[in-house]
Amino acid sequence: MKRLELYYGMCEMAKAALAEYGEKYAEPLISEYALRRAFWWEGEWRGKPMSCFVTEKKAVCRVGEKMAAFYVFDTPQGVYLRPEIKLVDDWIKVAHRGDDS
């Protein structure tokens, strides 16, 4: 039963990501393995609201009205995003590391 619940949860997460970010951006990030560790993050970046679907290695984000792709780095201090755009080298902390991580 747990496996079925996990699968249903992953399907719902995939549907929500497709609805929020569109097939072009979210489809490449959706796999059973990636969805097991995926999460959403809401925040601000460069003065604009930001909403991200974060998987193990990549994230797709809505920054203001635009879409952007980010690399994901899982470090002992937390999970960080870095834009794929080579001209920008900002790192955004989206999850902390602790006993419950």
Side-chain angles (χ1 to χ4, degrees):
M1 185 57 96
K2 185 173 183 171
R3 174 83 174 141
L4 184 58
E5 289 172 359
L6 177 63
Y7 178 75
Y8 177 77
M10 288 188 299
C11 287
E12 291 302 305
M13 186 178 289
K15 283 190 237 176
L18 289 170
E20 177 73 19
Y21 303 106
E23 192 172 314
K24 175 182 173 186
Y25 296 98
E27 183 76 30
L29 303 181
I30 296 174
S31 71
E32 182 178 344
Y33 179 77
L35 288 172
R36 287 174 189 266
R37 301 184 65 189
F39 64 93
W40 266 274
W41 180 80
E42 303 263 339
E44 186 177 290
W45 183 54
R46 297 183 158 211
K48 294 183 181 168
M50 185 170 173
S51 168
C52 298
F53 177 64
V54 183
T55 63
E56 186 179 36
K57 299 195 185 290
K58 287 205 168 201
V60 62
C61 302
R62 184 182 309 272
V63 182
E65 296 299 316
K66 298 188 178 186
M67 301 297 286
F70 289 76
Y71 296 112
V72 176
F73 295 91
D74 191 357
T75 71
Q77 293 77 35
V79 178
Y80 292 83
L81 304 182
R82 185 172 63 89
E84 286 187 347
I85 303 168
K86 294 189 187 313
L87 298 174
V88 180
D89 197 29
D90 294 349
W91 287 64
I92 305 160
K93 190 170 191 173
V94 297
H96 298 279
R97 280 282 172 251
D99 294 335
D100 53 23
S101 295

